[in-house]
Amino acid sequence: DDGSGGCPEKAAAAAIKLVDQDKVFLVIPGIHSVSDYSIAKKIPTLTGREDAASLKAFGPNGIGLFSIASALRVWSSFAAYDIDSAHNTPCLIHPDDDEWNGNEKTLNAELAKYGIKFKSVVRYADDVSTAQQQASTAVAKFKSAGCDQVFFMAHNPIALIFFTSAATQALWFPEAWTFTSYTGLIDTPLGANLMDKRQWDNAIGLSYRVPKGQHPAEGNCKRIYDRYYPDDESGGDSAYTQIACAQLLPAAEMMRRGEKLTGELTADSFIAGADAITRDFNFDALVPLDWSIPTGGPYKTKAIDDWTVITWNDEANQYDFPDF
């Protein structure tokens, strides 16, 4: 139990127990302070920080699904060529912390290559008790600035529920709400249905998923959950199932391949198993995963390379893939 980010002492104790006392060969952390400790001790870790300071300290770290730097590069190209942000008035929303403030700088640098600059930026506090007030203030600021495109980046889409609701209450309807799959679950019907419908009709973003009915692994996460919990009618489609699936199934595949290659299950064999996944594994209906962790580098510690445009179709209750 890492304390969910609200208790630094508990997070530190959890990290020390895992790494120094239990001597695990792999850590799947819930928060960055745990991943920082495990990475510093050279324990293979699923996900990790990608800010410049962390990369400088540790090098490529954390074996994860996608890179924020890659997502921001592709998103900037998308802004230039798909939604023509250079001839519109884009604005940005993101959490107010060191990680996301750093990502803002990266996104600004990438957008500058295309002559694109945000008219207004809102950095919100991760505080549910003030979320509605923050959203109303942000919407008023964007509306006054004449924003017609809203870029949203965060680890999850919860804050966007408040922002889209506040926008409708203020009778403000931007031409586009845009995002990437780096914001977990936002590119699924589960995430989309949390948003204000009148706003999300104008949603367009980038996803690593594959259109419904076009992938042999479609529904894999739900099938596995339902096998273990057949009486839970909604659990297989839930957010926690999807998040756990994305963490656990790739890790399990790395373990299988590592043990097959080496005959044992250790930190070293786990890394070998990750290196063996070369665009030939899917845990659900998404693009193939691909890691490359050769001795001495260069390392590719994030698995997702391919993105496609998606737009929300409220009538069909699913995302369309216009360019797939």
Side-chain angles (χ1 to χ4, degrees):
D1 181 357
D2 59 28
S4 300
C7 183
E9 295 81 9
K10 202 167 188 178
I16 291 170
K17 181 180 187 302
L18 284 169
V19 176
D20 297 333
Q21 298 174 14
D22 297 344
K23 298 190 182 301
V24 300
F25 70 86
L26 162 71
V27 175
I28 305 177
I31 56 178
H32 280 321
S33 53
V34 177
S35 67
D36 289 346
Y37 190 83
S38 58
I39 289 168
K41 294 283 188 171
K42 301 190 183 302
I43 302 298
T45 307
L46 290 202
T47 71
R49 296 184 195 266
E50 293 185 78
D51 57 279
S54 177
L55 293 174
K56 184 177 181 181
F58 303 120
N61 64 72
I63 304 170
L65 289 182
F66 36 72
S67 163
I68 185 63
S70 171
L72 297 183
R73 282 196 301 273
V74 176
W75 203 14
S76 297
S77 176
F78 166 80
Y81 297 114
D82 286 78
I83 60 175
D84 193 19
S85 295
H87 296 96
N88 284 281
T89 309
C91 296
L92 173 66
I93 305 173
H94 68 78
D96 187 12
D97 58 35
D98 290 344
E99 180 181 11
W100 287 105
N101 292 339
N103 292 335
E104 177 191 329
K105 293 179 181 178
T106 301
L107 180 57
N108 282 333
E110 292 295 332
L111 287 171
K113 298 175 183 178
Y114 303 98
I116 299 170
K117 184 177 181 180
F118 291 118
K119 179 68 176 293
S120 182
V121 176
V122 167
R123 304 174 187 91
Y124 63 86
D126 188 9
D127 179 7
V128 175
S129 67
T130 62
Q132 193 62 59
Q133 179 183 350
Q134 289 188 76
S136 298
T137 301
V139 164
K141 180 179 178 180
F142 283 173
K143 186 175 181 180
S144 176
C147 303
D148 55 15
Q149 295 180 346
V150 182
F151 286 63
F152 178 81
M153 61 180 189
H155 285 304
N156 64 66
I158 294 174
L160 199 52
I161 301 170
F162 293 93
F163 287 114
T164 55
S165 175
T168 294
Q169 290 175 17
L171 300 178
W172 177 60
F173 298 91
E175 294 180 11
W177 293 83
T178 183
F179 55 89
T180 74
S181 284
Y182 198 90
T183 300
L185 301 178
I186 199 172
D187 61 347
T188 67
L190 179 65
N193 280 310
L194 296 174
M195 306 305 159
D196 186 284
K197 295 292 192 295
R198 288 159 290 186
Q199 299 292 332
W200 215 241
D201 279 345
N202 299 325
I204 180 169
L206 294 171
S207 176
Y208 54 78
R209 299 185 185 276
V210 172
K212 188 174 181 179
Q214 297 191 35
H215 199 292
E218 183 176 312
N220 191 39
C221 294
K222 176 175 168 52
R223 282 193 299 272
I224 291 173
Y225 184 90
D226 290 345
R227 183 190 310 163
Y228 289 97
Y229 303 98
D231 297 327
D232 188 345
E233 295 181 359
S234 61
D237 293 316
S238 68
Y240 62 79
T241 299
Q242 297 302 314
I243 292 171
C245 184
Q247 289 279 17
L248 298 178
L249 294 193
E253 183 67 14
M254 294 176 201
M255 291 181 195
R256 286 196 197 96
R257 296 196 187 200
E259 188 173 15
K260 185 176 181 179
L261 286 167
T262 67
E264 59 182 357
L265 193 53
T266 65
D268 288 340
S269 69
F270 180 81
I271 295 297
D275 187 53
I277 297 177
T278 54
R279 302 186 66 80
D280 59 353
F281 174 71
N282 308 83
F283 64 84
D284 213 305
L286 70 164
V287 299
L289 305 186
D290 178 40
W291 288 275
S292 178
I293 314 175
T295 301
Y299 305 102
K300 182 176 179 296
T301 61
K302 303 300 189 289
I304 298 292
D305 292 313
D306 304 316
W307 301 81
T308 191
V309 178
I310 59 173
T311 57
W312 179 243
N313 184 330
D314 190 52
E315 184 175 341
N317 196 41
Q318 65 182 29
Y319 280 103
D320 292 332
F321 293 72
D323 298 323
F324 188 81

